[in-house]
């Protein structure tokens, strides 16, 4: 139980990453694969934030006087993840538009049938 | 100062010619001729200077450019400039209607310039740089015609790059060991190097020269490249560029290492020179008989280029006075007559509209007499008939081989000469003698501008055959430079002390016998030229071309020798290529075309890394 | 078969990660560079929200690059989906009256909320990215509720370009005045007030408009 | 703490369920759930900025984009 309570966030983010990877590895529907990629994205974001966390810390915002700067969590991963999320959604949209295009071209989203990359 | 002027004129002239071509074609032609003429004049001016060096420090990287002129480089430089001038003159008419002429002239001049650079550079780095410029621009010009020529050029450049990399390895090794690139300094350091290092330097550097000179196992690029290049450039390629290999071998073997070290390089009875001798002998025999079964006029000449290289090698490997002289003289001679023969082949190609298959030709002697005489003299030189220059050099080489107790090598050389006689006769006969095909009834003699280089070279072949003392004096200066025993020469040949050869006597003897033969034929001629009548078989007309008896010349002989002429080297390379392709085909299967597999590879690699990290 | 192989591989990776994670204990103080930002952030930038000061001041140039990536992704999406435009609008069912009215009522409020979030980016959690996303979701709502009132694509483009332009111009002014790109040349003001932190609110407004227009444009492109 | 356990469990369950569903629309909704819980976890990890971004972008916009994409392609995985 102690182990679990120490590592529950790690379990969460890596569980998410592994489920995403599993989806990417095994599923054959293109949109499903993109969903998996989104899971990986979320998991990595969660991991970055988890690394910057301090037990009992506060958010890095001096919204009221008397906050202890010693107990503030790391602002840098937060800043990185902030931009990552936005980039993630735009890349996701790009991937989905490609999926739409592929569907219009091949009439299917099944990756086993779209084998143009083979040579 | 004059050396850098030569280089500047050569390289600058190429660029100026290219730019002039953008303005007008005539200006470009004039400039090209002027530049090559200026080079010939300038190089003639530095004859008889003693060894001179010029030092320049380039503004970047503190590199030194050292230029050097000595008899050896003068010898090669004058060949390069001379053949360059003639081929430019020849191209004026030959290339008249072709496309991309600016590019053509630019590249041709650029190749000449870089070849000049390689012979007058005094340090290995600039030697290498000029060598690379030469390789690449040659590649560009070989593939000028497109189509098959691109494949030929590719073949050339791949082999050339292999050689260049070997040479680069040598240069880097020498520099890191001795801290200098100047040839004379390296030569003095190398006197104290260990045997193993010397062997490494020699073998690795000669790889490059063996490739460029197309000796037997590495010759495969040459026939294609020579056949597919445009004719004026084929002559440059065959006469000059290929012989840069001999220059390089000479440079590394005698200028840098010297005779003392070379004599020490042997394991048991196998020495470095004996290996080279074997290569030369195989090259001679193999190439001569392969040329015999070719049907393409330029391909015959290309294979003869391969074969004649073997004679030069046999000559210069034996460091005796006569052998060295014979080898170097053969370089000059071969360059003259092979350029002449390529000009002949080009003239026929030009007039008949690109016909290179000699079986379709015949009887052109009446239509193109000047070309015929040029071809006859050229072939005589190639075979080594007395009164042509080829005779003198081959005589010297045979003499070396026989006096040096090398019966097998001498036999190989003789066999090669027999093959040369056969394919030389085939060349002359199939093109000029026999029956004139109907469609060539009205072709004209080659244009005057194309005749001019041919006539010049024809005269030179005879001149050097009758008066071999002129070039031999230059060659003995080379030998004196590298402290080899020079051959004593007179104007007409070789004096009694060094082994009698007096061409003036031979000249008179031949003139007299010619007179007698002429008289005999005059008196006892029985053949009467008759008109060929139309012929019919089973009531239908048989075209006259069917009677063309030059087709399948030497058919029984070719049938006999063809099984032995399988180009083992070429097959070997082909098999390597095929094997590589097969392996790559197998490797290619990992690209299955499905995203999941690609992701799987990534995870697999990750797992592999983790596995290694955890257990090792 | 494939599932088993993937599970085995993922298991190996999982084991490796578990071992690797032992050196990163959860909740311990591992901050190095962040400390500097936390202690000197207010003094140097005037922004109370340290994340904002990192995003727009310390790593402002990165944010410009990030916005550029966003722009390029939107551009790529437009290029990929460019082509035959079906007239879908005729086929759409009109929304019910309740939905229609609700959307029209909520739309300005959502925009206002988004604007509030990015204007107060240096004081409270939130900022240009979040505010932009909220604005984009407002446009999504307006599409769902009242598709005929859809704003034309050109306005999104103009807004988005203006946002990028303001960002770059602010950076260039900073370059001329302060000596480096995006230097904070405006007065810092008093911390915890709206008009503080120099150029950060301006930049965040630009980013908010840009991201909002960009994401709305992406949705627009996907729907068309 | 038990609340965090519950959330993480729910999040992972949502992810697994998203991978299992044959109807892509259900998968996408499960994915939205995952994003939403992730944003709550961000808030617990003292990152309100990120929580906001994740909630507005991950849970709302991404879902919308996915739904649009599914509407333009095919709803069911074969």
């Amino acid at each position: 139980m102690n182990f679990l309570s120490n590592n529950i966030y790690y379990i969460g983010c890596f569980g998410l990453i592994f489920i995403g990877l599993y989806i990417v590895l095994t599923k054959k529907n293109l949109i499903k694969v993109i969903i998996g990629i989104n899971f990986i994205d979320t998991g990595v974001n969660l991991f970055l934030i988890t690394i910057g966390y301090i037990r009992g810390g506060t958010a890095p915002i001096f919204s009221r006087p008397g906050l202890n700067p010693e107990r503030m969590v790391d602002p840098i991963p937060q800043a990185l993840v902030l931009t990552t999320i936005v980039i993630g959604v735009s890349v996701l949209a790009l991937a989905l538009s490609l999926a739409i295009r592929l569907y219009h071209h091949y009439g299917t989203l099944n990756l086993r049938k779209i084998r143009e990359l083979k040579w | 100062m004059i050396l850098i002027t030569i280089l500047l004129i050569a390289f600058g002239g190429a660029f100026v010619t290219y730019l002039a071509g953008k303005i007008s074609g005539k200006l470009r032609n004039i400039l090209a001729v002027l530049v090559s003429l200026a080079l010939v004049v300038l190089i003639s001016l530095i004859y008889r200077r003693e060894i001179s060096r010029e030092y320049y420090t380039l503004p970047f990287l503190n590199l030194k450019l050292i230029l050097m002129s000595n008899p050896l480089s003068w010898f090669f430089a004058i060949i390069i400039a001379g053949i360059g001038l003639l081929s430019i003159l020849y191209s004026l008419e030959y290339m008249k209607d072709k496309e991309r002429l600016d590019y053509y002239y630019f590249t041709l001049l650029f190749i000449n310039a870089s070849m000049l650079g390689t012979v007058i550079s005094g340090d290995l780095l600039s030697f290498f740089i000029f060598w690379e410029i030469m390789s690449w621009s040659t590649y560009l010009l070989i593939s000028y015609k497109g189509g098959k020529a691109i494949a030929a050029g590719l073949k050339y450049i791949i082999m050339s790059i292999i050689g260049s990399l070997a040479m680069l390895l040598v240069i880097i090794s020498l520099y890191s060991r001795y801290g200098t690139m100047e040839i004379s300094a390296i030569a003095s350091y190398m006197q104290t190097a260990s045997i193993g290092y010397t062997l490494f330097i020699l073998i690795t550097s000669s790889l490059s020269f063996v490739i460029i000179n197309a000796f037997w196992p590495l010759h495969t690029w040459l026939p294609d490249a020579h056949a597919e290049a445009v004719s004026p450039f084929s002559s440059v390629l065959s006469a000059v560029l290929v012989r840069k290999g001999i220059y390089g071998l000479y440079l590394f073997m005698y200028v840098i290492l010297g005779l003392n070290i070379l004599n020490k390089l042997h394991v048991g009875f196998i020495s470095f020179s004996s290996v080279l001798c074997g290569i030369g002998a195989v090259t001679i025999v193999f190439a001569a008989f392969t040329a015999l079964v070719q049907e393409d006029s330029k391909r015959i000449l290309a294979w003869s280029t391969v074969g004649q290289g073997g004679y030069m090698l046999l000559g210069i490997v034996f460091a005796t006075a006569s052998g060295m002289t014979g080898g170097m003289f053969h370089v000059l001679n071969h360059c003259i007559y092979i350029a002449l023969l390529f000009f002949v082949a080009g003239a026929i190609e030009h007039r008949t509209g690109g016909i290179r298959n000699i079986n379709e030709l015949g009887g052109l002697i009446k239509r193109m007499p000047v070309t015929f005489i040029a071809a006859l003299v050229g072939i005589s030189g190639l075979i080594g008939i007395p009164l042509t220059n080829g005779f003198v050099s081959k005589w010297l080489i045979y003499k070396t081989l026989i006096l040096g107790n090398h019966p097998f090598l001498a036999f190989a050389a003789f066999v090669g000469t027999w093959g040369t006689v056969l394919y030389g006769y085939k060349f002359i006969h199939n093109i000029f003698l026999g029956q004139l095909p109907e469609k060539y009834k009205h072709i004209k003699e080659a244009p005057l501008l194309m005749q001019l280089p041919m006539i010049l070279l024809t005269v030179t072949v005879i001149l050097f055959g009758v008066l071999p003392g002129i070039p031999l004096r230059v060659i003995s200066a080379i030998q004196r430079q590298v402290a080899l025993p020079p051959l004593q020469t007179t104007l007409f040949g070789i004096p009694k002390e060094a082994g009698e050869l007096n061409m003036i006597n031979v000249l008179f003897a031949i003139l007299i016998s010619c007179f007698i033969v002429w008289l005999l034929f005059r008196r006892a001629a029985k053949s009467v030229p008759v008109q060929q009548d139309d012929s019919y078989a089973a009531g239908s007309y048989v075209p006259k071309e069917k009677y063309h008896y030059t087709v399948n010349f030497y058919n029984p002989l070719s049938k006999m020798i063809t099984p032995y002429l399988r180009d083992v080297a070429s097959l070997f390379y082909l098999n390597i290529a095929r094997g590589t392709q097969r392996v790559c085909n197998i490797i290619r299967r990992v690209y299955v075309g499905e995203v999941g597999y690609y992701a799987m590879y990534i995870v697999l690699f990750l797992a592999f890394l983790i596995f290694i990290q955890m257990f090792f | 078969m494939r599932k088993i192989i993937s599970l085995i591989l993922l298991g190996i990776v999982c084991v490796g990660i578990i071992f690797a994670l032992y050196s990163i204990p959860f909740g311990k103080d591992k901050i190095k560079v962040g400390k500097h930002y936390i202690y000197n952030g207010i003094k140097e930038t005037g922004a109370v929200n340290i994340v904002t000061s990192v995003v727009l001041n310390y790593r402002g140039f990165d944010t410009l690059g990030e916005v550029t990536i966003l722009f390029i992704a939107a551009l790529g999406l437009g290029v990929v989906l460019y082509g035959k435009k079906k007239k879908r609008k005729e086929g759409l069912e009109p929304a019910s009256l309740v939905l229609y009215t609700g959307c029209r009522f909520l739309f300005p409020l959502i925009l206002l909320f988004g604007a509030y979030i990015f204007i107060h980016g240096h004081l409270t959690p939130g900022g240009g990215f979040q505010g932009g996303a909220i604005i984009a979701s407002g446009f999504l709502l307006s599409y769902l509720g009242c598709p005929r009132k859809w704003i034309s694509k050109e306005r999104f483009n103009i807004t988005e370009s203006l946002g990028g332009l303001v960002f770059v111009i602010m950076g260039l002014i900073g370059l001329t005045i302060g000596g480096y790109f995006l230097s904070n040349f405006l007065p810092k003001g008093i911390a915890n007030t709206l008009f503080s932190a120099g150029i950060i609110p301006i930049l965040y407004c630009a980013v908010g408009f840009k991201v909002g227009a960009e994401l709305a444009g992406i949705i627009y492109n996907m729907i068309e | 703490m038990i609340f965090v356990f519950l959330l993480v469990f729910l999040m992972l369950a949502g992810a697994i369920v998203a991978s299992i569903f044959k109807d892509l629309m259900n998968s996408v909704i499960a994915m939205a759930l995952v994003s939403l819980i992730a944003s709550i976890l961000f808030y617990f990890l003292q990152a309100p900025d990120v929580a906001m971004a994740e909630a507005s972008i991950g849970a709302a916009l991404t879902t919308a984009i996915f739904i649009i994409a599914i509407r333009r392609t095919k709803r069911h995985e074969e």
Side-chain angles (χ1 to χ4, degrees):
Chain A
M1 199 61 201
N2 197 21
F3 171 80
L4 264 185
S5 65
N6 270 338
N7 293 304
I8 184 66
Y9 285 103
Y10 284 151
I11 290 169
C13 58
F14 280 102
L16 217 49
I17 290 174
F18 282 125
I19 291 167
L21 265 180
Y22 178 78
I23 292 175
V24 172
L25 289 181
T26 54
K27 296 294 168 185
K28 53 183 189 289
N29 186 295
L30 191 50
I31 288 187
K32 217 58 176 291
V33 169
I34 296 174
I35 289 175
I37 292 172
N38 193 25
F39 282 159
I40 299 176
D41 196 14
T42 313
V44 169
N45 289 345
L46 198 54
F47 177 63
L48 283 176
I49 296 293
T50 311
I51 285 200
Y53 182 67
I54 299 173
R55 210 178 283 272
T58 55
I61 303 171
F62 292 94
S63 48
R64 56 191 158 82
L67 282 172
N68 182 12
E70 271 309 314
R71 303 303 310 165
M72 279 189 175
V73 300
D74 199 351
I76 296 175
Q78 299 194 10
L80 290 181
V81 168
L82 196 59
T83 53
T84 310
I85 289 172
V86 181
I87 292 181
V89 73
S90 63
V91 171
L92 210 69
L94 187 60
L96 281 174
S97 71
L98 285 171
I100 292 171
R101 208 69 188 155
L102 278 174
Y103 182 75
H104 279 292
H105 195 268
Y106 290 99
T108 177
L109 282 173
N110 192 339
L111 284 172
R112 307 266 158 89
K113 291 179 184 158
I114 306 172
R115 287 232 175 169
E116 287 293 296
L117 279 172
K118 185 186 171 75
W119 58 282
Chain B
M1 207 49 217
I2 193 158
L3 291 175
I4 194 84
T5 320
I6 289 172
L7 267 191
L8 284 181
I9 286 182
F11 278 103
F15 284 110
V16 170
T17 308
Y18 183 76
L19 293 179
K22 297 285 171 205
I23 300 168
S24 87
K26 209 162 247 174
L27 183 65
R28 174 199 59 215
N29 293 354
I30 293 170
L31 263 178
V33 174
L34 279 183
V35 167
S36 33
L37 198 64
L39 285 181
V40 173
V41 171
L42 275 177
I43 290 169
S44 319
L45 281 181
I46 59 172
Y47 177 58
R48 276 289 154 202
R49 295 258 182 110
E50 286 314 304
I51 300 174
S52 66
R53 290 199 177 76
E54 293 177 14
Y55 294 90
Y56 300 93
T57 307
L58 300 185
F60 61 95
L61 290 179
N62 203 12
L63 285 175
K64 282 209 181 65
L65 171 65
I66 301 165
L67 298 179
M68 172 188 69
S69 98
N70 52 31
L72 177 66
S73 55
W74 188 84
F75 177 71
F76 276 93
I78 193 73
I79 295 176
I80 291 163
I83 298 292
L85 173 64
L86 291 180
S87 69
I88 290 271
L89 274 179
Y90 186 85
S91 341
L92 291 183
E93 195 67 34
Y94 182 85
M95 300 295 293
K96 213 174 191 176
D97 314 322
K98 303 271 168 51
E99 287 172 351
R100 293 194 295 155
L101 282 183
D102 299 341
Y103 170 79
Y104 170 77
Y105 282 108
F106 168 72
T107 330
L108 192 52
L109 285 171
F110 208 66
I111 291 170
N112 280 339
S114 55
M115 286 194 295
L116 278 176
T118 51
V119 295
I120 65 174
S121 60
D123 60 321
L124 286 178
L125 183 66
S126 45
F127 178 76
F128 177 73
I129 291 172
F130 286 127
W131 186 278
E132 277 295 275
I133 296 175
M134 182 182 87
S135 305
W136 282 97
S137 37
T138 306
Y139 162 63
L140 291 179
L141 198 46
I142 287 175
S143 46
Y144 168 76
K145 268 204 289 193
K148 267 158 105 185
I150 289 178
L154 215 56
K155 218 167 171 180
Y156 163 74
I157 195 67
I158 288 171
M159 298 197 74
S160 173
I161 285 173
I162 293 171
S164 306
L165 288 182
M167 201 203 292
L168 187 64
L169 179 67
V170 166
I171 291 171
I172 290 171
S173 156
L174 284 173
Y175 184 70
S176 61
R177 190 174 257 232
Y178 301 124
T180 178
M181 296 218 192
E182 194 181 344
I183 288 175
S184 53
I186 286 176
S188 63
Y189 283 126
M190 283 303 284
Q191 301 302 321
T192 54
S194 68
I195 296 288
Y197 188 65
T198 315
L199 259 184
F200 160 72
I201 293 292
L202 202 54
I203 291 174
T204 318
S205 61
S206 54
L207 180 65
S208 161
F209 306 129
V210 165
I211 285 173
I212 199 82
N213 209 354
F215 290 127
W216 170 64
L218 300 167
H219 65 275
T220 48
W221 65 272
L222 191 139
D224 287 340
H226 281 51
E228 295 305 329
V230 284
S231 288
F233 179 58
S234 294
S235 63
V236 172
L237 200 59
S238 168
V240 193
L241 201 140
V242 169
R243 299 308 161 219
K244 301 311 290 299
I246 295 286
Y247 173 76
L249 277 180
Y250 199 95
L251 188 73
F252 270 83
M253 281 170 69
Y254 297 113
V255 178
I256 291 184
L257 291 180
L259 210 51
N260 293 335
I261 298 178
L262 275 183
N263 288 338
K264 279 187 259 168
L265 296 177
H266 55 80
V267 182
F269 59 92
I270 298 174
S271 67
F272 184 73
S273 347
S274 69
V275 173
L276 279 186
C277 284
I279 290 175
V282 173
T283 310
I284 290 173
V285 177
F286 177 72
F289 284 94
T290 313
L292 189 57
V293 296
Q294 301 298 321
E295 315 236 292
D296 181 326
S297 60
K298 280 171 83 173
R299 213 163 250 278
I300 292 179
L301 298 177
W303 276 106
S304 98
T305 307
V306 177
Q308 302 297 312
Y311 287 102
M312 297 165 204
L313 191 61
L314 283 187
I316 71 159
V317 161
F318 294 106
T320 59
S322 57
M324 189 69 74
T325 313
M328 285 316 245
F329 193 25
H330 203 65
V331 171
L332 174 67
N333 295 340
H334 177 263
C335 134
I336 293 170
Y337 56 68
I338 205 75
L340 175 59
L341 287 174
F342 267 113
F343 285 160
V344 167
I348 288 154
E349 205 185 339
H350 185 65
R351 277 308 187 203
T352 56
I355 299 293
R356 294 214 310 253
N357 188 347
I358 53 176
N359 287 342
E360 294 177 22
L361 299 167
L364 289 177
I365 178 168
K366 294 220 182 72
R367 315 300 317 171
M368 307 173 88
V370 178
T371 316
F372 168 69
I373 291 171
L376 185 64
V377 173
I379 288 289
S380 314
L382 181 61
I383 296 168
I385 289 175
L387 285 192
T388 57
N389 53 8
F391 170 70
V392 183
S393 52
K394 280 197 179 175
W395 186 79
L396 281 168
I397 291 168
Y398 294 148
K399 202 175 132 206
T400 314
L401 293 178
I402 294 167
L403 291 184
N405 285 328
H406 296 288
F408 291 110
L409 296 179
F411 180 69
F414 284 133
V415 170
T417 307
W418 297 334
T420 314
V421 172
L422 290 176
Y423 71 71
Y425 181 63
K426 179 180 176 181
F427 185 83
I428 286 268
H429 180 273
N430 276 21
I431 294 177
F432 291 104
L433 306 179
Q435 184 195 358
L436 185 65
E438 201 71 24
K439 56 183 169 181
Y440 300 135
K441 273 276 183 321
H442 301 293
I443 62 170
K444 292 195 215 88
E445 177 57 85
L448 197 65
L449 260 178
M450 283 163 74
Q451 284 179 26
L452 184 68
M454 290 199 271
I455 294 170
L456 268 176
L457 286 173
T458 312
V459 171
T460 321
V461 169
I462 304 282
L463 180 72
F464 283 174
V466 181
L467 306 174
I470 304 168
L472 284 180
R473 204 181 301 160
V474 179
I475 292 166
S476 53
I478 299 175
Q479 270 149 270
R480 234 171 269 130
Q481 174 211 339
V482 294
L484 289 173
L487 189 72
Q488 293 168 327
T489 54
T490 61
L491 187 57
F492 296 112
I494 296 149
K496 224 167 197 145
E497 306 87 62
E500 173 87 70
L501 177 69
N502 195 341
M503 290 311 292
I504 204 82
N505 297 348
V506 181
L507 173 66
F508 283 122
I510 286 178
L511 281 184
I512 289 166
S513 49
C514 276
F515 182 69
I516 292 169
V517 169
W518 182 72
L519 271 185
L520 281 178
F521 268 89
R522 201 55 206 215
R523 302 292 300 168
K526 289 217 176 74
S527 70
V528 181
V530 291
Q531 190 69 35
Q532 188 186 12
D533 293 326
D534 291 348
S535 46
Y536 295 86
S540 65
Y541 177 65
V542 178
K544 283 178 186 171
E545 280 75 20
K546 292 273 178 186
Y547 287 107
H548 196 44
Y549 61 88
T550 56
V551 178
N552 289 337
F553 212 62
Y554 298 139
N555 197 13
L557 182 62
S558 341
K559 263 187 196 158
M560 237 157 61
I561 59 175
T562 311
Y564 302 104
L565 286 180
R566 282 172 55 232
D567 200 341
V568 185
S570 193
L571 282 180
F572 176 66
Y573 299 140
L574 265 183
N575 279 334
I576 288 181
R578 261 186 227 126
T580 316
Q581 208 166 17
R582 216 165 287 150
V583 170
C584 292
N585 257 333
I586 292 167
I587 293 174
R588 207 181 70 176
R589 299 235 171 102
V590 303
Y591 294 102
V592 289
E594 200 189 324
V595 183
Y597 280 101
Y598 297 153
M600 188 92 90
Y601 298 148
I602 297 170
V603 177
L604 192 69
F605 186 65
L606 203 63
F608 175 67
L609 287 185
I610 287 169
F611 192 75
I612 287 178
Q613 170 74 26
M614 276 167 56
F615 292 99
F616 299 103
Chain C
M1 183 61 199
R2 201 162 146 181
K3 286 177 184 172
I4 295 165
I5 291 177
S6 355
L7 281 178
I8 291 169
L9 287 179
L10 288 179
I12 294 175
V13 175
C14 189
V15 171
I17 283 171
I18 286 171
F19 279 104
L21 279 181
Y22 270 126
S23 58
I24 316 177
F26 174 73
K28 292 274 161 50
D29 194 345
K30 300 175 283 285
I31 310 172
K32 291 204 172 87
V33 190
K35 281 283 184 246
H36 174 87
Y37 295 156
I38 289 172
Y39 284 117
N40 304 323
I42 297 181
K43 215 180 347 175
E44 285 177 3
T45 64
V48 175
N49 189 344
I50 303 297
V51 177
T52 303
S53 67
V54 171
V55 167
L56 283 180
N57 203 296
Y58 295 112
R59 307 278 169 97
F61 203 62
D62 293 359
T63 306
L64 179 62
E66 187 266 343
V67 173
T68 315
I69 291 176
L70 189 61
F71 170 68
I72 290 171
L75 192 73
L77 185 135
V79 169
V80 168
L81 288 181
Y82 181 79
K84 47 193 186 294
K85 286 201 172 167
K86 287 176 199 160
K87 289 287 171 195
R88 275 172 177 271
K89 284 177 185 173
E90 275 73 37
L92 284 174
E93 285 178 34
S96 67
L97 186 65
V98 178
L99 191 55
Y100 183 70
T101 321
C103 279
R104 291 189 63 179
F105 175 65
L106 277 179
F107 181 59
L109 288 185
I110 290 175
L111 290 196
L112 189 66
F113 179 53
Y116 172 83
I117 282 192
F118 63 67
I119 287 172
H120 287 80
H122 56 298
L123 302 177
T124 56
F129 296 108
Q130 296 91 330
I134 289 167
I135 288 177
S137 57
F139 278 105
L140 179 68
L141 181 74
S142 98
Y143 171 75
L144 293 176
C146 30
R148 281 165 204 282
K149 299 253 171 181
W150 192 246
I151 295 179
S152 77
K153 182 84 168 62
E154 281 68 34
R155 295 192 195 169
F156 287 136
N157 288 345
I158 291 166
T159 319
E160 186 255 303
S161 317
L162 277 179
L165 206 62
V166 168
F167 199 112
V168 174
I169 286 173
M170 292 311 280
L172 288 178
I173 293 173
L175 185 66
T176 50
I177 294 176
Y180 56 93
F181 195 76
L182 280 175
S183 71
N184 201 343
F185 59 89
L186 289 178
K188 309 279 191 303
I190 307 155
N192 253 330
T193 54
L194 184 59
F195 294 101
S196 64
I199 61 168
I200 285 179
I202 302 172
L203 287 183
Y204 241 168
C205 288
V207 170
F209 276 112
K210 189 171 164 62
V211 171
E214 203 99 61
L215 292 179
I218 284 176
I219 292 167
Y220 181 92
N221 269 331
M222 300 270 301
I223 286 171
E224 278 302 303
Chain D
M1 204 63 207
I2 197 75
F3 191 52
V4 175
F5 281 141
L6 207 64
L7 282 180
V8 169
F9 174 74
L10 210 61
M11 182 173 80
L12 294 183
I16 290 170
V17 159
S19 79
I20 288 171
F21 274 136
K22 289 284 171 199
D23 187 346
L24 287 176
M25 211 60 107
N26 293 353
S27 292
V28 169
I29 300 302
M31 194 197 78
L33 179 76
V34 169
S35 277
L36 200 65
I37 295 174
S39 89
I40 297 172
L41 288 179
F42 282 138
Y43 180 71
F44 282 157
L45 288 168
Q46 298 297 331
D49 292 84
V50 183
M52 237 162 134
E54 181 70 29
S56 63
I57 292 176
L61 274 181
T62 311
T63 316
I65 291 172
F66 264 107
I67 289 172
I68 294 166
I70 287 170
R71 200 189 65 175
R72 290 186 65 170
T73 54
K74 208 173 183 184
R75 183 163 169 174
H76 290 275
E77 184 188 1
E78 74 256 32

